[in-house]
Every structure is written in C-alpha cells, then in structure tokens.
C-alpha cells in the first residue's frame, strides 16, 4: 500500500489519517520465515511538522507463529509497536536519510515496507517459551521441560581433560 505524502509535506499543519491495508501473511527476518497469526493496525496519522517534514504515528500489533530457540516448542510471538517516525520530503533528503527510511520512495511511503521495518527493529533477540526453558536433551532429544530423560549429558570441558591427563601422567612417574 502506497501513500502519497506530497500534500502533507507541502501544507503547514496538514494532518491526514489513513486506514491501513496490509497484505503481509508472513515475516522474513533473513534467517527464518514466520507466519502471521493475527495482525491489527490502527489508522495511521501523517502530520506536517514543518514544510518538507512529516511525522508518522500509528500502532501495529502482530502475532507470529514461532519456535522456542531452545526446545523448538511452537509459541506465539507478539510484536506491538507504537510507531512514531519523522520523514523528509525528497526535496531535502540526503543519502543518510534514505538509509534510515528505506520505506520512502520519493513522495510516497510504502506502508508494508514500513511495517516490515518496524517489526524487524523490534524482533526479539531470543525467542523462548519461558525464561527458564530447559531445552532438549542433546543425547536423546527429549524436551526437558516435559520430563527428565535420565541420559548422561556430562560433556567434559577439554581444558579440564588436559589437566586430568597431566595429573594422570604424574601419578604414573
Ligand atoms: Zn522452550
Ligand atoms: Zn536424554
């Protein structure tokens, strides 16, 4: 969905409120693809701050289907963002401004690109089903949140092994 901001850029105190249609069904963050389970978008407001400068306001509330990073359990990820951004008209934009607002195309704003950008910036570093998720057993693959499998998961630290070797050798001498 493209919205032309020419009027907002050029008219002092101009405010435009637009209902947003978003066709996105999934989100790709470059690593994985997440299906969108639900999406809510408030109408967006485009306000003239000064000539050639506009403010964008709106709210996005998305739920994605994701997997826990540790145990691979399917969990919803909620991204809720209160959008507030300033954009400049192409009459005064520099290359840096363009980098910062990749969703601007001349006088037009690509709303899907903006929404993508907001989600990407707010995407969690880690997705966990719960803070203390125990993950899966590296030996048998059992989800350790469900039950303890009893496998011997002791993986010796290689540095400790080296010390143990020296001690062992000294004993022999
Ligand atoms: Zn988990
Ligand atoms: Zn196990």
């Amino acid at each position: 969905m493209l919205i032309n901001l020419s009027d907002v850029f050029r008219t002092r105190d101009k405010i435009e409120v637009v209902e947003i249609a978003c066709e996105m069904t999934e989100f790709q963050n470059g690593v994985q693809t997440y299906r969108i389970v639900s999406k809510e978008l408030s109408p967006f407001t485009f306000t003239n701050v000064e000539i050639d400068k506009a403010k964008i306001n709106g709210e996005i509330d998305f739920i994605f289907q994701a997997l826990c990073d540790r145990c691979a359990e399917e969990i919803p990820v909620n991204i809720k963002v209160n959008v507030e951004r300033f954009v400049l008209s192409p009459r005064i934009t520099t290359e840096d401004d363009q980098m910062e607002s990749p969703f601007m195309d001349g006088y037009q704003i690509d709303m899907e690109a903006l929404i993508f950008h907001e989600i990407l910036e707010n995407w969690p570093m880690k997705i966990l089903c719960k803070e203390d998720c125990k993950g899966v057993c590296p030996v048998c693959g059992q989800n350790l949140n469900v039950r303890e499998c009893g496998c011997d998961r002791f993986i010796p630290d290689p540095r400790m092994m080296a010390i143990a070797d020296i001690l062992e050798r000294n004993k022999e001498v």
Side-chain angles (χ1 to χ4, degrees):
M1 181 184 189
L2 295 172
I3 296 171
N4 194 314
L5 296 181
S6 321
D7 270 2
V8 175
F9 280 133
R10 126 181 111 213
T11 320
R12 217 168 268 286
D13 298 326
K14 171 101 181 165
I15 297 176
E16 274 182 21
V17 181
V18 186
E19 292 277 347
I20 306 300
C22 174
E23 301 294 321
M24 271 169 92
T25 56
E26 56 183 33
F27 168 68
Q28 294 183 326
N29 67 351
V31 184
Q32 273 186 63
T33 303
Y34 302 89
R35 196 169 67 78
I36 296 170
V37 183
S38 83
K39 53 184 170 188
E40 275 178 45
L41 289 154
S42 72
F44 270 58
T45 308
F46 304 90
T47 311
N48 175 284
V49 184
E50 56 191 67
I51 297 301
D52 289 323
K53 186 173 179 181
K55 188 169 82 162
I56 306 167
N57 285 99
E59 276 173 42
I60 60 178
D61 189 353
F62 279 46
I63 296 174
F64 302 88
Q65 191 179 61
L67 301 178
C68 171
D69 285 340
R70 282 192 205 143
C71 72
E73 183 88 14
E74 201 168 272
I75 46 165
V77 169
N78 184 205
I79 306 280
K80 207 172 169 174
V81 190
N82 234 322
V83 180
E84 183 174 86
R85 273 181 191 278
F86 292 90
V87 286
L88 303 173
S89 103
R91 289 196 331 134
I92 59 165
T93 29
T94 63
E95 239 169 73
D96 278 356
D97 298 327
Q98 273 170 8
M99 298 267 284
E100 226 174 275
S101 310
F103 39 81
M104 288 301 289
D105 182 9
Y107 286 94
Q108 304 201 104
I109 176 165
D110 180 338
M111 283 309 291
E112 304 231 335
L114 170 75
I115 292 163
F116 173 83
H117 198 73
E118 292 289 349
I119 294 167
L120 193 64
E121 278 188 359
N122 288 281
W123 196 254
M125 292 286 284
K126 241 184 181 346
I127 295 171
L128 294 177
C129 61
K130 54 184 176 186
E131 195 88 18
D132 61 344
C133 170
K134 297 192 188 85
V136 295
C137 168
V139 179
C140 73
Q142 169 64 43
N143 183 334
L144 298 172
N145 299 311
V146 179
R147 72 180 174 85
E148 172 53 54
C149 52
C151 290
D152 179 7
R153 291 191 295 273
F154 175 69
I155 301 160
D157 184 325
R159 286 163 305 177
M160 291 304 288
M161 288 296 278
I163 293 167
D165 274 356
I166 293 163
L167 290 175
E168 199 60 33
R169 245 177 280 141
N170 286 347
K171 236 193 300 178
E172 282 163 20
V173 173

